[in-house]
Amino acid sequence: MTEPKALKVGILGATGAVGEQMMIVLAERNFPVAELRLFGSSRSAGSKLAFKGKEYEVEEASLERMKGLDLLLGAADNDVAKKFLPDAAKLGVTVVDNSSAFRMEPDVPLVVPEVNGRDALDAPRRIIANPNCTTIQMVVALQA
């Protein structure tokens, strides 16, 4: 079996609780990260966060800085998600958003990997939404 391709990954909202948890899960699951870019507000730009024993500097979020990513994880509030994620997707970045900004849009799949992960493969806008945390737990239990 071949190793999965290492990806250039960004996290929008990296300094918040959800963004920090995303980094923990990426590390725990040994997700194949070739490059990690952390994005935050102007207030958090310049701060440092650790990932797999290495420090990364948080950059102020901008579309220019998101160019070249393979995957962008959204951990920001709805306004920030709406400002950056659709344009990042238009650049060819696959976006997985944790906010509620895109959950009800008909051309954005609402995905829980354990339940309907295949729906993410054909996301027409390159944006994939996930339901809120309590819904995820419920549908995973119901799927079993």
Side-chain angles (χ1 to χ4, degrees), residues 12-140:
L12 178 64
T15 58
V18 174
E20 289 184 12
Q21 190 61 41
M22 286 176 171
M23 286 190 293
I24 290 168
V25 171
L26 289 173
E28 285 177 350
R29 295 190 178 214
N30 203 27
F31 191 85
V33 177
E35 179 183 332
L36 181 64
R37 313 273 318 263
L38 305 176
F39 303 107
S41 67
S42 59
R43 288 186 325 268
S44 59
S47 61
K48 308 260 190 206
L49 296 173
F51 177 73
K52 295 179 94 170
K54 184 177 172 187
E55 277 199 340
Y56 291 82
E57 186 170 325
V58 176
E59 304 174 59
E60 184 173 354
S62 77
L63 193 57
E64 183 64 32
R65 291 182 174 120
M66 295 173 188
K67 284 182 181 174
L69 291 175
D70 299 304
L71 176 64
L72 180 60
L73 303 176
D77 65 28
N78 289 355
D79 291 339
V80 174
K82 288 177 182 177
K83 179 178 179 180
F84 290 106
L85 299 184
D87 289 334
K90 287 176 186 171
L91 292 173
V93 179
T94 298
V95 172
V96 178
D97 185 38
N98 192 58
S99 78
S100 63
F102 305 100
R103 287 180 184 161
M104 299 303 291
E105 296 197 13
D107 58 349
V108 174
L110 187 62
V111 173
V112 176
E114 297 85 354
V115 177
N116 65 333
R118 297 187 83 60
D119 291 352
L121 299 176
D122 296 318
R125 289 177 48 194
R126 299 187 74 96
I127 300 173
I128 302 156
N130 63 263
N132 71 25
C133 54
T134 55
T135 301
I136 292 169
Q137 293 173 12
M138 180 180 65
V139 298
V140 169

